[in-house]
Tab-separated table of all heavy atoms in Angstrom:
chain	number	residue	atom	x	y	z
A	270	HIS	N	14.728	23.078	4.946
A	270	HIS	CA	15.571	21.906	5.532
A	270	HIS	C	15.370	21.674	6.904
A	270	HIS	O	15.389	22.649	7.738
A	270	HIS	CB	17.032	22.091	5.033
A	270	HIS	CG	17.184	21.745	3.585
A	270	HIS	ND1	17.024	20.557	3.051
A	270	HIS	CD2	17.468	22.634	2.656
A	270	HIS	CE1	17.222	20.550	1.769
A	270	HIS	NE2	17.521	21.860	1.426
A	271	GLY	N	15.467	20.451	7.385
A	271	GLY	CA	15.404	20.163	8.869
A	271	GLY	C	16.735	20.575	9.461
A	271	GLY	O	17.642	20.758	8.727
A	272	LYS	N	16.679	20.791	10.803
A	272	LYS	CA	17.858	21.322	11.381
A	272	LYS	C	19.065	20.519	11.287
A	272	LYS	O	20.165	20.867	11.194
A	272	LYS	CB	17.580	21.774	12.801
A	272	LYS	CG	17.053	20.687	13.721
A	272	LYS	CD	16.808	21.215	15.157
A	272	LYS	CE	16.280	20.233	16.145
A	272	LYS	NZ	14.923	19.924	15.934
A	273	ASP	N	18.855	19.085	11.217
A	273	ASP	CA	19.922	18.199	11.130
A	273	ASP	C	20.312	17.932	9.711
A	273	ASP	O	21.056	17.117	9.457
A	273	ASP	CB	19.703	16.954	11.949
A	273	ASP	CG	18.428	16.186	11.532
A	273	ASP	OD1	17.790	16.792	10.569
A	273	ASP	OD2	18.120	15.171	12.123
A	274	GLY	N	19.523	18.470	8.858
A	274	GLY	CA	19.734	18.158	7.405
A	274	GLY	C	19.321	16.798	6.940
A	274	GLY	O	19.427	16.547	5.795
A	275	LYS	N	18.858	16.041	7.925
A	275	LYS	CA	18.446	14.684	7.506
A	275	LYS	C	17.058	14.549	6.818
A	275	LYS	O	16.830	14.025	6.003
A	275	LYS	CB	18.467	13.743	8.776
A	275	LYS	CG	19.749	13.015	8.811
A	275	LYS	CD	19.598	11.918	9.935
A	275	LYS	CE	19.482	12.394	11.325
A	275	LYS	NZ	19.485	11.336	12.318
A	276	GLU	N	16.120	15.304	7.582
A	276	GLU	CA	14.849	15.244	7.117
A	276	GLU	C	14.325	16.730	6.789
A	276	GLU	O	14.656	17.585	7.403
A	276	GLU	CB	13.891	14.670	8.073
A	276	GLU	CG	14.227	13.175	8.287
A	276	GLU	CD	13.140	12.618	9.171
A	276	GLU	OE1	12.054	13.089	9.373
A	276	GLU	OE2	13.498	11.429	9.704
A	277	GLY	N	13.452	16.799	5.811
A	277	GLY	CA	12.938	18.094	5.602
A	277	GLY	C	11.956	18.443	6.632
A	277	GLY	O	11.397	17.642	7.337
A	278	SER	N	11.692	19.709	6.933
A	278	SER	CA	10.699	20.038	7.880
A	278	SER	C	10.006	21.197	7.334
A	278	SER	O	10.293	21.910	6.395
A	278	SER	CB	11.377	20.519	9.188
A	278	SER	OG	12.171	21.598	9.015
A	279	VAL	N	8.753	21.365	7.913
A	279	VAL	CA	8.008	22.437	7.423
A	279	VAL	C	7.767	23.624	8.498
A	279	VAL	O	7.931	23.317	9.599
A	279	VAL	CB	6.458	21.904	7.111
A	279	VAL	CG1	6.593	21.150	5.755
A	279	VAL	CG2	6.020	21.050	8.172
A	280	GLY	N	7.681	24.766	8.020
A	280	GLY	CA	7.520	25.921	8.969
A	280	GLY	C	6.318	25.836	9.754
A	280	GLY	O	5.325	25.047	9.486
A	281	LEU	N	6.138	26.580	10.731
A	281	LEU	CA	4.992	26.558	11.724
A	281	LEU	C	3.726	26.736	11.077
A	281	LEU	O	2.665	26.176	11.487
A	281	LEU	CB	5.291	27.598	12.739
A	281	LEU	CG	6.086	27.175	14.018
A	281	LEU	CD1	6.134	28.339	15.021
A	281	LEU	CD2	5.390	25.906	14.622
A	282	SER	N	3.629	27.592	10.040
A	282	SER	CA	2.234	27.755	9.411
A	282	SER	C	2.022	26.828	8.330
A	282	SER	O	0.992	26.931	7.662
A	282	SER	CB	2.269	29.182	8.736
A	282	SER	OG	3.252	29.198	7.736
A	283	VAL	N	2.709	25.755	8.279
A	283	VAL	CA	2.539	24.796	7.181
A	283	VAL	C	1.562	23.749	7.557
A	283	VAL	O	1.604	23.079	8.648
A	283	VAL	CB	3.976	24.156	6.837
A	283	VAL	CG1	3.774	23.126	5.814
A	283	VAL	CG2	4.775	25.314	6.369
A	284	GLN	N	0.669	23.467	6.543
A	284	GLN	CA	-0.219	22.265	6.604
A	284	GLN	C	0.495	21.060	6.280
A	284	GLN	O	1.118	20.970	5.265
A	284	GLN	CB	-1.353	22.585	5.668
A	284	GLN	CG	-2.329	21.395	5.562
A	284	GLN	CD	-3.501	21.536	6.550
A	284	GLN	OE1	-4.041	22.706	6.631
A	284	GLN	NE2	-3.831	20.613	7.297
A	285	ARG	N	0.328	20.081	7.275
A	285	ARG	CA	0.980	18.887	6.881
A	285	ARG	C	0.295	18.129	5.819
A	285	ARG	O	-1.013	18.023	5.884
A	285	ARG	CB	1.115	17.968	8.111
A	285	ARG	CG	1.915	16.661	7.944
A	285	ARG	CD	2.004	15.882	9.124
A	285	ARG	NE	2.618	14.586	8.924
A	285	ARG	CZ	2.802	13.782	9.972
A	285	ARG	NH1	2.329	14.065	11.214
A	285	ARG	NH2	3.368	12.651	9.845
A	286	SER	N	0.922	17.556	4.953
A	286	SER	CA	0.285	16.821	3.798
A	286	SER	C	-0.408	15.549	4.243
A	286	SER	O	0.036	14.843	5.167
A	286	SER	CB	1.375	16.450	2.756
A	286	SER	OG	1.157	15.278	2.250
A	287	VAL	N	-1.552	15.286	3.619
A	287	VAL	CA	-2.283	14.010	4.008
A	287	VAL	C	-1.357	12.898	3.524
A	287	VAL	O	-1.262	11.845	4.158
A	287	VAL	CB	-3.504	13.918	3.126
A	287	VAL	CG1	-4.338	12.657	3.525
A	287	VAL	CG2	-4.420	15.063	3.230
A	288	PHE	N	-0.654	13.074	2.510
A	288	PHE	CA	0.188	12.107	1.927
A	288	PHE	C	1.332	11.773	2.862
A	288	PHE	O	1.787	10.618	2.758
A	288	PHE	CB	0.815	12.697	0.577
A	288	PHE	CG	1.439	11.720	-0.253
A	288	PHE	CD1	0.812	10.523	-0.560
A	288	PHE	CD2	2.760	11.935	-0.629
A	288	PHE	CE1	1.543	9.711	-1.440
A	288	PHE	CE2	3.430	11.115	-1.338
A	288	PHE	CZ	2.757	9.882	-1.871
A	289	GLY	N	1.674	12.634	3.754
A	289	GLY	CA	2.619	12.377	4.778
A	289	GLY	C	4.038	12.411	4.465
A	289	GLY	O	4.944	11.852	5.147
A	290	GLU	N	4.316	13.146	3.379
A	290	GLU	CA	5.847	13.289	2.990
A	290	GLU	C	6.516	14.031	4.080
A	290	GLU	O	6.145	15.089	4.652
A	290	GLU	CB	5.776	14.169	1.729
A	290	GLU	CG	7.119	14.446	1.094
A	290	GLU	CD	7.487	13.354	0.064
A	290	GLU	OE1	6.653	12.720	-0.341
A	290	GLU	OE2	8.612	13.333	-0.278
A	291	ARG	N	7.666	13.584	4.484
A	291	ARG	CA	8.457	14.164	5.481
A	291	ARG	C	9.773	14.804	4.757
A	291	ARG	O	10.446	15.570	5.423
A	291	ARG	CB	8.962	13.320	6.552
A	291	ARG	CG	8.081	13.332	7.737
A	291	ARG	CD	8.514	12.404	8.731
A	291	ARG	NE	7.379	12.216	9.623
A	291	ARG	CZ	7.500	11.429	10.550
A	291	ARG	NH1	8.559	10.855	11.018
A	291	ARG	NH2	6.349	11.226	11.432
A	292	ASN	N	10.076	14.387	3.677
A	292	ASN	CA	11.362	14.896	3.015
A	292	ASN	C	10.893	15.534	1.728
A	292	ASN	O	10.115	15.061	1.037
A	292	ASN	CB	12.134	13.741	2.794
A	292	ASN	CG	12.731	13.079	4.032
A	292	ASN	OD1	13.457	13.581	4.639
A	292	ASN	ND2	11.909	12.012	4.255
A	293	PHE	N	11.277	16.705	1.543
A	293	PHE	CA	10.972	17.549	0.448
A	293	PHE	C	12.048	17.746	-0.684
A	293	PHE	O	12.010	18.724	-1.360
A	293	PHE	CB	10.427	18.797	0.933
A	293	PHE	CG	9.267	18.709	1.791
A	293	PHE	CD1	9.415	18.560	3.172
A	293	PHE	CD2	8.023	18.545	1.245
A	293	PHE	CE1	8.199	18.406	3.927
A	293	PHE	CE2	6.867	18.490	2.125
A	293	PHE	CZ	7.046	18.368	3.520
A	294	ASN	N	13.022	16.870	-0.639
A	294	ASN	CA	14.117	17.158	-1.546
A	294	ASN	C	13.764	17.013	-3.051
A	294	ASN	O	14.476	17.462	-3.998
A	294	ASN	CB	15.357	16.474	-1.279
A	294	ASN	CG	15.282	15.098	-1.183
A	294	ASN	OD1	14.126	14.488	-1.303
A	294	ASN	ND2	16.345	14.366	-0.936
A	295	ILE	N	12.662	16.312	-3.410
A	295	ILE	CA	12.226	16.234	-4.690
A	295	ILE	C	10.641	16.707	-4.522
A	295	ILE	O	10.065	16.320	-3.505
A	295	ILE	CB	12.323	15.001	-5.382
A	295	ILE	CG1	13.756	14.759	-5.636
A	295	ILE	CG2	11.638	14.948	-6.668
A	295	ILE	CD1	14.101	13.493	-6.321
A	296	HIS	N	10.061	17.481	-5.399
A	296	HIS	CA	8.912	18.191	-5.215
A	296	HIS	C	7.643	17.200	-5.449
A	296	HIS	O	6.508	17.826	-5.644
A	296	HIS	CB	8.811	19.347	-6.074
A	296	HIS	CG	8.603	18.986	-7.517
A	296	HIS	ND1	9.604	18.498	-8.272
A	296	HIS	CD2	7.485	18.931	-8.307
A	296	HIS	CE1	9.155	18.325	-9.553
A	296	HIS	NE2	7.834	18.585	-9.546
A	297	SER	N	7.760	15.932	-5.275
A	297	SER	CA	6.663	15.152	-5.686
A	297	SER	C	5.355	15.341	-4.885
A	297	SER	O	4.253	15.030	-5.302
A	297	SER	CB	7.017	13.670	-5.508
A	297	SER	OG	7.362	13.483	-4.089
A	298	SER	N	5.405	16.015	-3.659
A	298	SER	CA	4.217	16.285	-3.064
A	298	SER	C	3.444	17.550	-3.496
A	298	SER	O	2.423	17.874	-2.923
A	298	SER	CB	4.278	16.101	-1.569
A	298	SER	OG	5.188	17.211	-1.032
A	299	ILE	N	4.081	18.319	-4.297
A	299	ILE	CA	3.558	19.617	-4.652
A	299	ILE	C	2.587	19.473	-5.864
A	299	ILE	O	2.974	18.882	-6.924
A	299	ILE	CB	4.597	20.589	-4.928
A	299	ILE	CG1	5.412	20.854	-3.665
A	299	ILE	CG2	3.969	21.998	-5.429
A	299	ILE	CD1	6.689	21.593	-3.879
A	300	SER	N	1.346	19.801	-5.658
A	300	SER	CA	0.363	19.563	-6.694
A	300	SER	C	-0.525	20.650	-7.128
A	300	SER	O	-1.432	20.465	-7.861
A	300	SER	CB	-0.544	18.297	-6.222
A	300	SER	OG	-1.110	18.773	-4.967
A	301	HIS	N	-0.214	21.890	-6.728
A	301	HIS	CA	-1.110	22.925	-7.094
A	301	HIS	C	-0.226	24.115	-7.705
A	301	HIS	O	-0.445	25.222	-7.289
A	301	HIS	CB	-1.797	23.368	-5.880
A	301	HIS	CG	-2.690	22.466	-5.207
A	301	HIS	ND1	-3.891	22.031	-5.646
A	301	HIS	CD2	-2.326	21.515	-4.200
A	301	HIS	CE1	-4.290	20.989	-4.891
A	301	HIS	NE2	-3.336	20.744	-3.995
A	302	GLU	N	0.674	23.839	-8.616
A	302	GLU	CA	1.340	24.804	-9.130
A	302	GLU	C	1.058	25.119	-10.608
A	302	GLU	O	0.557	24.225	-11.316
A	302	GLU	CB	2.751	24.460	-8.931
A	302	GLU	CG	3.140	24.248	-7.635
A	302	GLU	CD	4.547	23.509	-7.475
A	302	GLU	OE1	4.611	22.585	-8.375
A	302	GLU	OE2	5.254	23.798	-6.673
Side-chain angles (χ1 to χ4, degrees):
H270 284 292
K272 54 179 185 281
D273 56 2
K275 263 196 290 188
E276 293 190 17
S278 65
V279 286
L281 270 182
S282 64
V283 172
Q284 175 89 46
R285 183 178 180 182
S286 137
V287 184
F288 191 53
E290 181 95 11
R291 264 184 202 179
N292 298 280
F293 296 93
N294 58 353
I295 294 182
H296 70 285
S297 60
S298 67
I299 297 166
S300 55
H301 302 278
E302 300 162 322

